[in-house]
Amino acid sequence: MSTTAAGADPFAALADLPGVPEAVESVRTAVDRVYAHRVMRRRSNEISSEAALRGARASAALDGADWALEEVRRRTDFGSEPEARTVGAALRLSAEAGQLLSVWGQSPMRVLARLHVVAEAKEAPEVGRPRVAGEGVQDRDLGLALPDAAETAARLEGLTALLASGSNAPALVVAAILHGELLALRPFTTRNGLVARAAERIVLVGSGLDPKAVCPAEVGHAELGAEEYSRALTGYVTGAPAGVAGWIRHCARAVELGARESTAVCEALQRGAA
């Protein structure tokens, strides 16, 4: 992000990139549509729970564990094989994200570390801290160059300081840049994609854009597909304004699709009650 914006609030500068204001407005419209649904007035907790489950399933799918929703719903053992562990990690992160909202504004780095601990669910020296010199990343290959540990630490420190200081930029922009930076840096030795998408959710919820967590962007990212996800991310990593704007618009579309998913859940519940 440091190559694409300057000034006291670089997030705000990015909000004016071509197509971004329109994307922000489109997201607000989509989110408002879900919240205005009559089912949300009576059964918002059910919608939130379903959104969390679907978001976790989608995030795991982007990391190679593309399970059917009903399989995720019925399964109880998530520790027996690599794909199961990925799904389990995504479910744990989805459950934990809401518990970390109060900490986020004070210490984003602490939250990111906690997310990694929750995702891994094991004790090891590399869990819950950024990778150090000599450590690689075991995540799914994104086709991107991996910054070394020193560069990663410096950029992560700068990013989390900016997040802690606050921004006047739309929540969508902040969430998209955080998501993109975490994927570009891959600060942990594992589970960076899951952590990045959970962090995106925390910003969208904590900002007040989606306070009930009913618009799972992860669903939209998965629906748009891993290939499009990687293409948009590659554009972001170039640092070029067009690439950064394209990534923000991609994230906006993901939120819209997540909102559409929950609208469909509302409609199904309404038909069931009729």
Side-chain angles (χ1 to χ4, degrees):
M1 185 177 67
S2 60
T3 61
T4 61
D9 189 353
F11 294 113
L14 297 175
D16 292 327
L17 289 173
V20 172
E22 294 82 358
V24 168
E25 186 59 32
S26 183
V27 164
R28 285 176 179 149
T29 299
V31 173
D32 287 347
R33 188 176 298 118
V34 179
Y35 279 80
H37 199 286
R38 66 176 62 186
V39 170
M40 281 291 293
R41 293 195 291 270
R42 297 177 287 108
R43 305 176 72 174
S44 64
N45 288 341
E46 291 177 65
I47 306 302
S48 295
S49 296
E50 187 66 16
L53 180 70
R54 294 180 183 222
R57 189 219 71 82
S59 191
L62 286 167
D63 267 21
D66 193 0
W67 287 13
L69 180 63
E70 292 310 312
E71 173 69 8
V72 178
R73 199 188 301 279
R74 72 165 189 82
R75 187 78 172 255
T76 58
D77 174 20
F78 296 101
S80 59
E81 56 190 20
E83 283 196 9
R85 288 196 294 271
T86 296
V87 175
L91 288 167
R92 290 191 299 273
L93 286 173
S94 185
E96 185 76 6
Q99 308 302 314
L100 296 172
L101 292 171
S102 62
V103 184
W104 179 258
Q106 301 170 358
S107 181
M109 188 61 237
R110 180 179 163 194
V111 171
L112 294 175
R114 174 61 184 167
L115 290 174
H116 190 240
V117 169
V118 169
E120 278 294 6
K122 69 178 184 181
E123 292 187 11
E126 69 276 10
V127 174
R129 57 129 175 98
R131 55 190 169 83
V132 298
E135 291 181 336
V137 171
Q138 300 173 35
D139 289 344
R140 200 175 191 188
D141 184 16
L142 296 172
L144 303 173
L146 182 68
D148 65 29
E151 179 185 350
T152 296
R155 288 174 59 180
L156 188 62
E157 181 179 359
L159 173 65
T160 53
L162 285 171
L163 290 165
S165 65
S167 172
N168 292 320
L172 169 71
V173 173
V174 177
I177 297 305
L178 170 62
H179 185 171
E181 281 292 291
L182 290 176
L183 288 177
L185 296 175
R186 281 147 290 163
F188 302 109
T189 57
T190 56
R191 307 296 187 196
N192 289 285
L194 296 180
V195 168
R197 291 183 287 275
E200 179 185 49
R201 171 183 282 258
I202 287 173
V203 171
L204 294 172
V205 173
S207 66
L209 175 63
D210 179 22
K212 295 183 183 294
V214 296
C215 302
E218 306 97 320
V219 169
H221 288 302
E223 185 172 336
L224 290 167
E227 184 176 339
E228 178 62 18
Y229 187 68
S230 295
R231 187 201 64 76
L233 178 63
T234 298
Y236 172 80
V237 171
T238 67
V244 175
W247 170 252
I248 296 172
R249 293 194 302 269
H250 173 88
C251 291
R253 182 60 180 151
V255 176
E256 290 181 53
L257 290 171
R260 187 180 71 178
E261 182 90 352
S262 286
T263 299
V265 172
C266 287
E267 295 290 341
L269 288 174
Q270 183 169 278
R271 288 193 298 272

